[in-house]
Amino acid sequence: MKKLAGTAAKPLTSRQLAALIGVSQSAVSRAFTPGSSIAPDLRARILSGARNYGYQPNAIASMLTTRRTNIVGIVVSDMQNPFYPTLIERLTQGLQRAGLQSLLFNISPGSSVEDQLVALRTYNVDAVVVISATVLNAKTLAWATEGRKAVLLNRLGSDDITSICCDNTDGARMIVDHLFAVGHRRIGYVAGLTKTAIGMLRYSAFSARLAELGMRLVGTASSESYSYDAGWRGALDLLPQAPDAIVFASDILALGGLDALQRVGAAGIGATGFDDIPMAAWPGYSLTTYRQPIAAIVERTVELLRRPDLGPAQLFTLKGELIIRESSQVGGMAPA
Amino acid sequence: MKKLAGTAAKPLTSRQLAALIGVSQSAVSRAFTPGSSIAPDLRARILSGARNYGYQPNAIASMLTTRRTNIVGIVVSDMQNPFYPTLIERLTQGLQRAGLQSLLFNISPGSSVEDQLVALRTYNVDAVVVISATVLNAKTLAWATEGRKAVLLNRLGSDDITSICCDNTDGARMIVDHLFAVGHRRIGYVAGLTKTAIGMLRYSAFSARLAELGMRLVGTASSESYSYDAGWRGALDLLPQAPDAIVFASDILALGGLDALQRVGAAGIGATGFDDIPMAAWPGYSLTTYRQPIAAIVERTVELLRRPDLGPAQLFTLKGELIIRESSQVGGMAPA
DNA sequence: ATCATTTTTGAATACGCATTCATAGCCTTG
DNA sequence: CAAGGCTATGAATGCGTATTCAAAAATGAT
């Protein structure tokens, strides 16, 4: 005799538990509300009774009175770049440890972005984390985050919204310095989305440092996305310029580029990425890259979202770490 | 003068809107409830007024009365295997189109799994989708899904819970048949988690078909996870057996295996995967694999979850598609 | 034109909890 | 020992919507 879904007994209410224990409903509520005025032993008695009878507060009902949901809306538009699944995984775990839930919004192109985000508003999420979603224009962003905490990750917004980014300038600089130290002089650049603030930032930091060191920017390929294919094409586009090394705006681009170089027998050209996705460490790629400080980004995000109020909008820039592997050496990934 | 977060005016309630329009609160509620008894023109007038004044029903409040949240809890324990981000992305998009929201639970090892899933219960999710989470034992699974709809993806549970899987038997068979047709005879197998039902299923279907065709299973390497590193080690373990080709239980294993073979100069050995993750198509790997029918899986899942009741537990087995690339040819990925 | 039936509407209530308000108990201090 | 100040508790109320119930309006049939 199997139990049919939906047949389960309705869960206990605080009032029922109160009756069972012989206290008031208020007492039960207070027992579960940290910092409320209740005698320690009463609280203990109630909590123990709750465990006993299997009572758990109904979060929905409490949302209605407190007007807080403890839900964070996470808005993503690209899970194909392997950097983001990792970030999302760590972020949801971090939020969860802080007692916050993650409502995931995957924006798909096509239908209206606002339509896909109405639930941010109707479900009253406390906060919104936007992960690098370039499909959100400033207006939609403002609408979606209106009246709630909002944080942008890996994206720069207007100056009235808090952003958390890795230090792109530092990253670009470390990469260039490293290439210089290794002996590369003629550098090519494969950009990601050049229309984004982050994309432009990485590029300008990169080219500025290049100039400072007197290195030569032999060419730039811009691509329409951060993808393997775009990296592949970008690398090939730069070949005629005969670069010593190619700087890719992200790891996923670099992987495509490396494969392309290999395919055309130009594996001697150096390459660097940005992010340090798991695949960058794979022996077949062994990609030198700037590792994004995921832990720090998550930590800062969670810390901000725990606050009752974010305070004035800020830009947090967190330093990453240069991971030197084989792809950037002179001779690149050429077989020994 | 920037608006501070939290300063936003409280959204309109149905009662306020009713007052503005000159109807009752019930009418407003009915206007937003499909199938409720209300005159078409009244509904139109109210909906137009709502648009006008910017009223949107408060989902939280309606959850309290209807006892339905339209929230689906998605439980994952491994986003590192690139197959899952894709699945999750498509799934949340599919759910969203059906008006369902996705609450994401990323189980991290360490603290109690139940603790990480309490919100499934306190937030009253309508349904739970468990994606291949092996960390959930049957008891915890029952607890987490008690009284709500539940679907397992890529995982087999006890027989009282609905599962949706690709057709592992068909996949194993097509792979073996293909290897046979191409001319491979001595086959090695790199298993994933052999203790899981799916893992065992794939293996037994594989070896059964092998036997039917009179091919030789020269060795099996079992690994502790579906990961690149495990595939790498598995492939190396099989080398002494001198297989013509190695069948990997998943793409991510195969990628590691291919790199290992390449590294030791054994790139002539054929290889196949399972899943068809994006990287399988990359020229550097060009992995022959069985493509999971993600669209069909998502479609079926969403269709099930829209129902008021799942009905009796079933196992849905959806056929995938053999994608033939270079890695399975005789001579494998060896340079021409 | 009248009555029976159906449809449409509004008032009232319940959902489960947090919180305010008022009270009863307790401790402190003069 | 009394008065004042605190703390711990319970009763009552409200959060915003869906739904039930009863009444009103509209429709149909004779």
mmCIF file with all atom_site columns, all heavy atoms in Angstrom, chain A residues 284-300:
data_model
loop_
_atom_site.group_PDB
_atom_site.id
_atom_site.type_symbol
_atom_site.label_atom_id
_atom_site.label_alt_id
_atom_site.label_comp_id
_atom_site.label_asym_id
_atom_site.label_entity_id
_atom_site.label_seq_id
_atom_site.pdbx_PDB_ins_code
_atom_site.Cartn_x
_atom_site.Cartn_y
_atom_site.Cartn_z
_atom_site.occupancy
_atom_site.B_iso_or_equiv
_atom_site.pdbx_formal_charge
_atom_site.auth_seq_id
_atom_site.auth_comp_id
_atom_site.auth_asym_id
_atom_site.auth_atom_id
_atom_site.pdbx_PDB_model_num
ATOM 1   N N   . GLY A 1 284 ? 46.045 18.565 -21.635 1.00 0.00 ? 284 GLY A N   1
ATOM 2   C CA  . GLY A 1 284 ? 46.005 18.864 -23.046 1.00 0.00 ? 284 GLY A CA  1
ATOM 3   C C   . GLY A 1 284 ? 46.028 20.363 -23.316 1.00 0.00 ? 284 GLY A C   1
ATOM 4   O O   . GLY A 1 284 ? 46.431 20.806 -24.380 1.00 0.00 ? 284 GLY A O   1
ATOM 5   N N   . TYR A 1 285 ? 45.597 21.139 -22.352 1.00 0.00 ? 285 TYR A N   1
ATOM 6   C CA  . TYR A 1 285 ? 45.589 22.587 -22.531 1.00 0.00 ? 285 TYR A CA  1
ATOM 7   C C   . TYR A 1 285 ? 46.661 23.247 -21.678 1.00 0.00 ? 285 TYR A C   1
ATOM 8   O O   . TYR A 1 285 ? 47.434 24.059 -22.142 1.00 0.00 ? 285 TYR A O   1
ATOM 9   C CB  . TYR A 1 285 ? 44.209 23.152 -22.173 1.00 0.00 ? 285 TYR A CB  1
ATOM 10  C CG  . TYR A 1 285 ? 43.145 22.706 -23.133 1.00 0.00 ? 285 TYR A CG  1
ATOM 11  C CD1 . TYR A 1 285 ? 42.160 21.804 -22.759 1.00 0.00 ? 285 TYR A CD1 1
ATOM 12  C CD2 . TYR A 1 285 ? 43.131 23.188 -24.436 1.00 0.00 ? 285 TYR A CD2 1
ATOM 13  C CE1 . TYR A 1 285 ? 41.180 21.392 -23.651 1.00 0.00 ? 285 TYR A CE1 1
ATOM 14  C CE2 . TYR A 1 285 ? 42.155 22.779 -25.339 1.00 0.00 ? 285 TYR A CE2 1
ATOM 15  C CZ  . TYR A 1 285 ? 41.187 21.883 -24.943 1.00 0.00 ? 285 TYR A CZ  1
ATOM 16  O OH  . TYR A 1 285 ? 40.229 21.488 -25.831 1.00 0.00 ? 285 TYR A OH  1
ATOM 17  N N   . SER A 1 286 ? 46.697 22.912 -20.428 1.00 0.00 ? 286 SER A N   1
ATOM 18  C CA  . SER A 1 286 ? 47.674 23.486 -19.501 1.00 0.00 ? 286 SER A CA  1
ATOM 19  C C   . SER A 1 286 ? 47.779 24.996 -19.706 1.00 0.00 ? 286 SER A C   1
ATOM 20  O O   . SER A 1 286 ? 48.817 25.527 -20.060 1.00 0.00 ? 286 SER A O   1
ATOM 21  C CB  . SER A 1 286 ? 49.027 22.806 -19.711 1.00 0.00 ? 286 SER A CB  1
ATOM 22  O OG  . SER A 1 286 ? 49.894 23.180 -18.663 1.00 0.00 ? 286 SER A OG  1
ATOM 23  N N   . LEU A 1 287 ? 46.664 25.618 -19.515 1.00 0.00 ? 287 LEU A N   1
ATOM 24  C CA  . LEU A 1 287 ? 46.530 27.035 -19.861 1.00 0.00 ? 287 LEU A CA  1
ATOM 25  C C   . LEU A 1 287 ? 46.963 27.970 -18.739 1.00 0.00 ? 287 LEU A C   1
ATOM 26  O O   . LEU A 1 287 ? 46.472 27.879 -17.612 1.00 0.00 ? 287 LEU A O   1
ATOM 27  C CB  . LEU A 1 287 ? 45.056 27.308 -20.205 1.00 0.00 ? 287 LEU A CB  1
ATOM 28  C CG  . LEU A 1 287 ? 44.675 28.713 -20.601 1.00 0.00 ? 287 LEU A CG  1
ATOM 29  C CD1 . LEU A 1 287 ? 45.302 29.099 -21.939 1.00 0.00 ? 287 LEU A CD1 1
ATOM 30  C CD2 . LEU A 1 287 ? 43.155 28.838 -20.666 1.00 0.00 ? 287 LEU A CD2 1
ATOM 31  N N   . THR A 1 288 ? 47.867 28.854 -19.054 1.00 0.00 ? 288 THR A N   1
ATOM 32  C CA  . THR A 1 288 ? 48.223 29.918 -18.126 1.00 0.00 ? 288 THR A CA  1
ATOM 33  C C   . THR A 1 288 ? 47.058 30.905 -18.073 1.00 0.00 ? 288 THR A C   1
ATOM 34  O O   . THR A 1 288 ? 46.556 31.329 -19.116 1.00 0.00 ? 288 THR A O   1
ATOM 35  C CB  . THR A 1 288 ? 49.488 30.640 -18.589 1.00 0.00 ? 288 THR A CB  1
ATOM 36  O OG1 . THR A 1 288 ? 50.600 29.758 -18.470 1.00 0.00 ? 288 THR A OG1 1
ATOM 37  C CG2 . THR A 1 288 ? 49.742 31.890 -17.752 1.00 0.00 ? 288 THR A CG2 1
ATOM 38  N N   . THR A 1 289 ? 46.636 31.258 -16.874 1.00 0.00 ? 289 THR A N   1
ATOM 39  C CA  . THR A 1 289 ? 45.432 32.071 -16.779 1.00 0.00 ? 289 THR A CA  1
ATOM 40  C C   . THR A 1 289 ? 45.385 32.840 -15.468 1.00 0.00 ? 289 THR A C   1
ATOM 41  O O   . THR A 1 289 ? 46.186 32.601 -14.560 1.00 0.00 ? 289 THR A O   1
ATOM 42  C CB  . THR A 1 289 ? 44.180 31.160 -16.917 1.00 0.00 ? 289 THR A CB  1
ATOM 43  O OG1 . THR A 1 289 ? 43.020 31.970 -17.069 1.00 0.00 ? 289 THR A OG1 1
ATOM 44  C CG2 . THR A 1 289 ? 44.025 30.284 -15.682 1.00 0.00 ? 289 THR A CG2 1
ATOM 45  N N   . TYR A 1 290 ? 44.468 33.766 -15.407 1.00 0.00 ? 290 TYR A N   1
ATOM 46  C CA  . TYR A 1 290 ? 44.289 34.535 -14.183 1.00 0.00 ? 290 TYR A CA  1
ATOM 47  C C   . TYR A 1 290 ? 43.090 33.956 -13.467 1.00 0.00 ? 290 TYR A C   1
ATOM 48  O O   . TYR A 1 290 ? 41.971 33.983 -13.980 1.00 0.00 ? 290 TYR A O   1
ATOM 49  C CB  . TYR A 1 290 ? 44.057 36.005 -14.531 1.00 0.00 ? 290 TYR A CB  1
ATOM 50  C CG  . TYR A 1 290 ? 44.009 36.929 -13.335 1.00 0.00 ? 290 TYR A CG  1
ATOM 51  C CD1 . TYR A 1 290 ? 45.184 37.292 -12.666 1.00 0.00 ? 290 TYR A CD1 1
ATOM 52  C CD2 . TYR A 1 290 ? 42.805 37.472 -12.903 1.00 0.00 ? 290 TYR A CD2 1
ATOM 53  C CE1 . TYR A 1 290 ? 45.149 38.153 -11.587 1.00 0.00 ? 290 TYR A CE1 1
ATOM 54  C CE2 . TYR A 1 290 ? 42.761 38.335 -11.816 1.00 0.00 ? 290 TYR A CE2 1
ATOM 55  C CZ  . TYR A 1 290 ? 43.937 38.681 -11.164 1.00 0.00 ? 290 TYR A CZ  1
ATOM 56  O OH  . TYR A 1 290 ? 43.900 39.544 -10.090 1.00 0.00 ? 290 TYR A OH  1
ATOM 57  N N   . ARG A 1 291 ? 43.318 33.410 -12.319 1.00 0.00 ? 291 ARG A N   1
ATOM 58  C CA  . ARG A 1 291 ? 42.253 32.721 -11.599 1.00 0.00 ? 291 ARG A CA  1
ATOM 59  C C   . ARG A 1 291 ? 41.329 33.704 -10.884 1.00 0.00 ? 291 ARG A C   1
ATOM 60  O O   . ARG A 1 291 ? 41.760 34.509 -10.059 1.00 0.00 ? 291 ARG A O   1
ATOM 61  C CB  . ARG A 1 291 ? 42.850 31.763 -10.574 1.00 0.00 ? 291 ARG A CB  1
ATOM 62  C CG  . ARG A 1 291 ? 41.796 31.085 -9.696  1.00 0.00 ? 291 ARG A CG  1
ATOM 63  C CD  . ARG A 1 291 ? 42.431 30.141 -8.705  1.00 0.00 ? 291 ARG A CD  1
ATOM 64  N NE  . ARG A 1 291 ? 43.051 29.004 -9.388  1.00 0.00 ? 291 ARG A NE  1
ATOM 65  C CZ  . ARG A 1 291 ? 43.850 28.133 -8.780  1.00 0.00 ? 291 ARG A CZ  1
ATOM 66  N NH1 . ARG A 1 291 ? 44.128 28.272 -7.498  1.00 0.00 ? 291 ARG A NH1 1
ATOM 67  N NH2 . ARG A 1 291 ? 44.370 27.136 -9.456  1.00 0.00 ? 291 ARG A NH2 1
ATOM 68  N N   . GLN A 1 292 ? 40.071 33.619 -11.180 1.00 0.00 ? 292 GLN A N   1
ATOM 69  C CA  . GLN A 1 292 ? 39.103 34.480 -10.489 1.00 0.00 ? 292 GLN A CA  1
ATOM 70  C C   . GLN A 1 292 ? 38.961 34.008 -9.041  1.00 0.00 ? 292 GLN A C   1
ATOM 71  O O   . GLN A 1 292 ? 38.887 32.814 -8.770  1.00 0.00 ? 292 GLN A O   1
ATOM 72  C CB  . GLN A 1 292 ? 37.744 34.382 -11.175 1.00 0.00 ? 292 GLN A CB  1
ATOM 73  C CG  . GLN A 1 292 ? 37.729 35.019 -12.540 1.00 0.00 ? 292 GLN A CG  1
ATOM 74  C CD  . GLN A 1 292 ? 36.556 35.954 -12.712 1.00 0.00 ? 292 GLN A CD  1
ATOM 75  O OE1 . GLN A 1 292 ? 36.075 36.574 -11.747 1.00 0.00 ? 292 GLN A OE1 1
ATOM 76  N NE2 . GLN A 1 292 ? 36.090 36.081 -13.940 1.00 0.00 ? 292 GLN A NE2 1
ATOM 77  N N   . PRO A 1 293 ? 38.888 34.943 -8.135  1.00 0.00 ? 293 PRO A N   1
ATOM 78  C CA  . PRO A 1 293 ? 38.792 34.611 -6.709  1.00 0.00 ? 293 PRO A CA  1
ATOM 79  C C   . PRO A 1 293 ? 37.359 34.240 -6.333  1.00 0.00 ? 293 PRO A C   1
ATOM 80  O O   . PRO A 1 293 ? 36.681 34.989 -5.624  1.00 0.00 ? 293 PRO A O   1
ATOM 81  C CB  . PRO A 1 293 ? 39.215 35.906 -6.032  1.00 0.00 ? 293 PRO A CB  1
ATOM 82  C CG  . PRO A 1 293 ? 38.792 36.981 -6.982  1.00 0.00 ? 293 PRO A CG  1
ATOM 83  C CD  . PRO A 1 293 ? 38.919 36.393 -8.360  1.00 0.00 ? 293 PRO A CD  1
ATOM 84  N N   . ILE A 1 294 ? 36.936 33.093 -6.792  1.00 0.00 ? 294 ILE A N   1
ATOM 85  C CA  . ILE A 1 294 ? 35.534 32.710 -6.586  1.00 0.00 ? 294 ILE A CA  1
ATOM 86  C C   . ILE A 1 294 ? 35.132 32.723 -5.115  1.00 0.00 ? 294 ILE A C   1
ATOM 87  O O   . ILE A 1 294 ? 34.094 33.252 -4.736  1.00 0.00 ? 294 ILE A O   1
ATOM 88  C CB  . ILE A 1 294 ? 35.265 31.307 -7.175  1.00 0.00 ? 294 ILE A CB  1
ATOM 89  C CG1 . ILE A 1 294 ? 35.455 31.345 -8.684  1.00 0.00 ? 294 ILE A CG1 1
ATOM 90  C CG2 . ILE A 1 294 ? 33.860 30.846 -6.822  1.00 0.00 ? 294 ILE A CG2 1
ATOM 91  C CD1 . ILE A 1 294 ? 34.923 30.105 -9.376  1.00 0.00 ? 294 ILE A CD1 1
ATOM 92  N N   . ALA A 1 295 ? 35.993 32.146 -4.296  1.00 0.00 ? 295 ALA A N   1
ATOM 93  C CA  . ALA A 1 295 ? 35.651 32.083 -2.872  1.00 0.00 ? 295 ALA A CA  1
ATOM 94  C C   . ALA A 1 295 ? 35.412 33.485 -2.312  1.00 0.00 ? 295 ALA A C   1
ATOM 95  O O   . ALA A 1 295 ? 34.433 33.727 -1.605  1.00 0.00 ? 295 ALA A O   1
ATOM 96  C CB  . ALA A 1 295 ? 36.751 31.377 -2.103  1.00 0.00 ? 295 ALA A CB  1
ATOM 97  N N   . ALA A 1 296 ? 36.299 34.396 -2.650  1.00 0.00 ? 296 ALA A N   1
ATOM 98  C CA  . ALA A 1 296 ? 36.181 35.756 -2.125  1.00 0.00 ? 296 ALA A CA  1
ATOM 99  C C   . ALA A 1 296 ? 34.934 36.446 -2.676  1.00 0.00 ? 296 ALA A C   1
ATOM 100 O O   . ALA A 1 296 ? 34.228 37.169 -1.959  1.00 0.00 ? 296 ALA A O   1
ATOM 101 C CB  . ALA A 1 296 ? 37.424 36.564 -2.477  1.00 0.00 ? 296 ALA A CB  1
ATOM 102 N N   . ILE A 1 297 ? 34.663 36.205 -3.947  1.00 0.00 ? 297 ILE A N   1
ATOM 103 C CA  . ILE A 1 297 ? 33.483 36.817 -4.556  1.00 0.00 ? 297 ILE A CA  1
ATOM 104 C C   . ILE A 1 297 ? 32.216 36.330 -3.846  1.00 0.00 ? 297 ILE A C   1
ATOM 105 O O   . ILE A 1 297 ? 31.338 37.112 -3.479  1.00 0.00 ? 297 ILE A O   1
ATOM 106 C CB  . ILE A 1 297 ? 33.417 36.463 -6.059  1.00 0.00 ? 297 ILE A CB  1
ATOM 107 C CG1 . ILE A 1 297 ? 34.554 37.152 -6.808  1.00 0.00 ? 297 ILE A CG1 1
ATOM 108 C CG2 . ILE A 1 297 ? 32.067 36.838 -6.644  1.00 0.00 ? 297 ILE A CG2 1
ATOM 109 C CD1 . ILE A 1 297 ? 34.646 36.769 -8.276  1.00 0.00 ? 297 ILE A CD1 1
ATOM 110 N N   . VAL A 1 298 ? 32.157 35.032 -3.641  1.00 0.00 ? 298 VAL A N   1
ATOM 111 C CA  . VAL A 1 298 ? 30.984 34.463 -2.986  1.00 0.00 ? 298 VAL A CA  1
ATOM 112 C C   . VAL A 1 298 ? 30.863 34.983 -1.557  1.00 0.00 ? 298 VAL A C   1
ATOM 113 O O   . VAL A 1 298 ? 29.788 35.399 -1.110  1.00 0.00 ? 298 VAL A O   1
ATOM 114 C CB  . VAL A 1 298 ? 31.064 32.923 -2.989  1.00 0.00 ? 298 VAL A CB  1
ATOM 115 C CG1 . VAL A 1 298 ? 30.044 32.335 -2.041  1.00 0.00 ? 298 VAL A CG1 1
ATOM 116 C CG2 . VAL A 1 298 ? 30.875 32.387 -4.393  1.00 0.00 ? 298 VAL A CG2 1
ATOM 117 N N   . GLU A 1 299 ? 31.972 34.980 -0.892  1.00 0.00 ? 299 GLU A N   1
ATOM 118 C CA  . GLU A 1 299 ? 31.989 35.414 0.504   1.00 0.00 ? 299 GLU A CA  1
ATOM 119 C C   . GLU A 1 299 ? 31.483 36.855 0.610   1.00 0.00 ? 299 GLU A C   1
ATOM 120 O O   . GLU A 1 299 ? 30.620 37.167 1.428   1.00 0.00 ? 299 GLU A O   1
ATOM 121 C CB  . GLU A 1 299 ? 33.429 35.322 1.013   1.00 0.00 ? 299 GLU A CB  1
ATOM 122 C CG  . GLU A 1 299 ? 33.600 35.466 2.491   1.00 0.00 ? 299 GLU A CG  1
ATOM 123 C CD  . GLU A 1 299 ? 35.086 35.331 2.857   1.00 0.00 ? 299 GLU A CD  1
ATOM 124 O OE1 . GLU A 1 299 ? 35.916 35.123 1.942   1.00 0.00 ? 299 GLU A OE1 1
ATOM 125 O OE2 . GLU A 1 299 ? 35.411 35.462 4.039   1.00 0.00 ? 299 GLU A OE2 1
ATOM 126 N N   . ARG A 1 300 ? 32.002 37.707 -0.238  1.00 0.00 ? 300 ARG A N   1
ATOM 127 C CA  . ARG A 1 300 ? 31.588 39.104 -0.204  1.00 0.00 ? 300 ARG A CA  1
ATOM 128 C C   . ARG A 1 300 ? 30.114 39.245 -0.548  1.00 0.00 ? 300 ARG A C   1
ATOM 129 O O   . ARG A 1 300 ? 29.372 39.989 0.092   1.00 0.00 ? 300 ARG A O   1
ATOM 130 C CB  . ARG A 1 300 ? 32.461 39.910 -1.180  1.00 0.00 ? 300 ARG A CB  1
ATOM 131 C CG  . ARG A 1 300 ? 32.059 41.368 -1.323  1.00 0.00 ? 300 ARG A CG  1
ATOM 132 C CD  . ARG A 1 300 ? 32.170 42.110 0.008   1.00 0.00 ? 300 ARG A CD  1
ATOM 133 N NE  . ARG A 1 300 ? 33.451 41.949 0.645   1.00 0.00 ? 300 ARG A NE  1
ATOM 134 C CZ  . ARG A 1 300 ? 34.522 42.694 0.404   1.00 0.00 ? 300 ARG A CZ  1
ATOM 135 N NH1 . ARG A 1 300 ? 34.451 43.671 -0.463  1.00 0.00 ? 300 ARG A NH1 1
ATOM 136 N NH2 . ARG A 1 300 ? 35.650 42.473 1.044   1.00 0.00 ? 300 ARG A NH2 1
#
